[in-house]
Amino acid sequence: MEKFRDIKAVVFDADDTLWDCQTYFDDVEREYCRLLAPWARAEDVSASLFRTEEANMPLLGYGCKAFVLSLIENAVTLSGGQIGGEAVGELLRLGKRLLELPATPLPGVEDTLSRLYEEGRYRLAVFTKGELLDQQNKLRRSRLEKYFQHVEIVSDKTERAFLNLCRRLRLAPGSVLMVGNSLKSDVAPALAAGAAAVHIPFHATWQLERTADFEHKRLVKISRFADLLNYI
C-alpha cells in the first residue's frame, strides 16, 4: 500500500500500543488462580473471572479498579463466601500493583513519536479508554506526554466516540489516522467513522478484545511501531 494521503492528525491508542499493559494483567490473573486453587482449577477460575468481568462491564467499564472489583466478586462467588479477609487483602494488593505498572515505552515508540513531533507535519493525539486517573498516571510515567497536543480518555471506544474526537480536533475523519493494537477497539471504530487505521498487534490480547481478522482499503497492518513511518 502507498502512503496515506491528506492525513493531518495521527491518533494513538495507549495500552499495549505505546506501552505494555496486558502482560501485567495476565501476571495478576495467574497469581489470582493460585490464591483460589483451594476452590477451583485455574482454567475454571479464569473462565469464571471473564464472565464476571463481562457482566460488570456495563456498570464498571474498563481499567484496574473495575478489574479488582471483579476479582473480589468472583472470589467470593467461587469460594461460596469462604474466602477470608487476608486473601481479599492480597487481591487488593495485586490490584494496586497494576496501578503502578511502569508504562515503559515499547520498542521504537519514543523514537518514532520524537521524529513525528520534530517534523511537525501532523497533530499527535492519544485516544484511549479506561479509568481517568490511571491512564493519566501511565502517560505521565511513560514520559511520552510531551509529544501529544491532545489526550482523550473515554469509557469506551465506539464510532460515536471517535467522531466526537474528530470534532474536538476540528478535523474531518478522513484526515485522521488511528494507530492501535486492537482491531475491535482501535481499528474498527476508526474505520467505521471514515478514518484510516494502522494495526500493530501485541503479543497478548484480553479476551474481550479478541475478534476475527479482517482487511480494509484504509487499513495497514505492521509488526513494528517504527514501520509506521513508512506509511505517513
Side-chain angles (χ1 to χ4, degrees):
M1 180 176 177
E2 296 182 357
K3 290 190 175 187
F4 290 107
R5 300 185 182 279
D6 303 319
I7 296 297
K8 296 180 179 178
V10 185
V11 179
F12 297 88
D13 170 52
D15 292 336
D16 301 323
T17 297
L18 300 179
W19 52 72
D20 183 357
C21 181
Q22 186 59 42
T23 298
Y24 294 92
F25 275 77
D26 290 345
D27 289 343
V28 166
E29 186 170 329
R30 279 189 287 272
E31 292 193 44
Y32 179 70
C33 290
R34 176 183 56 79
L35 284 170
L36 292 185
W39 295 285
R41 298 178 304 168
E43 55 267 35
D44 294 329
V45 173
S46 291
S48 180
L49 175 61
F50 175 69
R51 291 193 296 270
T52 302
E53 288 183 276
E54 193 172 32
N56 283 338
M57 198 62 60
L59 288 175
L60 302 180
Y62 299 85
C64 294
K65 295 176 184 177
F67 182 60
V68 172
L69 288 173
S70 291
L71 290 178
I72 295 172
E73 178 183 343
N74 189 57
V76 171
T77 300
L78 280 181
S79 70
Q82 295 178 16
I83 192 166
E86 184 175 342
V88 171
E90 178 69 7
L91 296 181
L92 291 172
R93 184 192 66 79
L94 289 174
K96 286 185 176 179
R97 193 172 76 189
L98 289 172
L99 292 169
E100 297 172 347
L101 64 87
T104 303
L106 291 167
V109 167
E110 184 152 22
D111 288 345
T112 302
L113 291 177
S114 176
R115 180 169 166 181
L116 290 172
Y117 180 81
E118 289 172 2
E119 288 177 352
R121 290 188 295 152
Y122 308 103
R123 294 176 65 184
L124 304 181
V126 170
F127 181 55
T128 189
K129 66 184 178 184
E131 195 276 325
L132 179 62
L133 183 60
D134 181 33
Q135 296 297 73
Q136 287 175 332
N137 284 338
K138 280 187 284 190
L139 184 58
R140 173 182 52 78
R141 290 197 299 275
S142 75
R143 298 185 179 181
L144 298 175
E145 204 170 13
K146 59 183 176 288
Y147 299 117
F148 301 107
Q149 290 83 47
H150 183 86
V151 175
E152 193 156 324
I153 300 165
V154 294
S155 59
D156 196 7
K157 288 181 183 175
T158 61
E159 179 184 351
R160 176 172 291 184
F162 193 85
L163 287 171
N164 287 338
L165 168 70
C166 293
R167 278 193 284 271
R168 279 185 277 276
L169 292 173
R170 297 182 179 179
L171 292 172
S175 64
V176 177
L177 176 66
M178 180 71 207
V179 180
N181 69 290
S182 173
L183 284 170
K184 182 177 179 181
S185 292
D186 302 323
V187 172
L191 293 176
V198 171
H199 179 219
I200 312 176
F202 192 62
H203 66 82
T205 305
W206 185 32
Q207 288 187 66
L208 279 173
E209 291 293 342
R210 294 173 188 169
T211 189
D213 197 9
F214 61 87
E215 304 290 333
H216 194 283
K217 63 181 181 181
R218 296 195 308 274
L219 171 62
V220 165
K221 301 177 185 181
I222 60 178
S223 58
R224 301 185 312 134
F225 196 94
D227 290 342
L228 172 64
L229 298 174
N230 296 330
Y231 293 95
I232 55 176

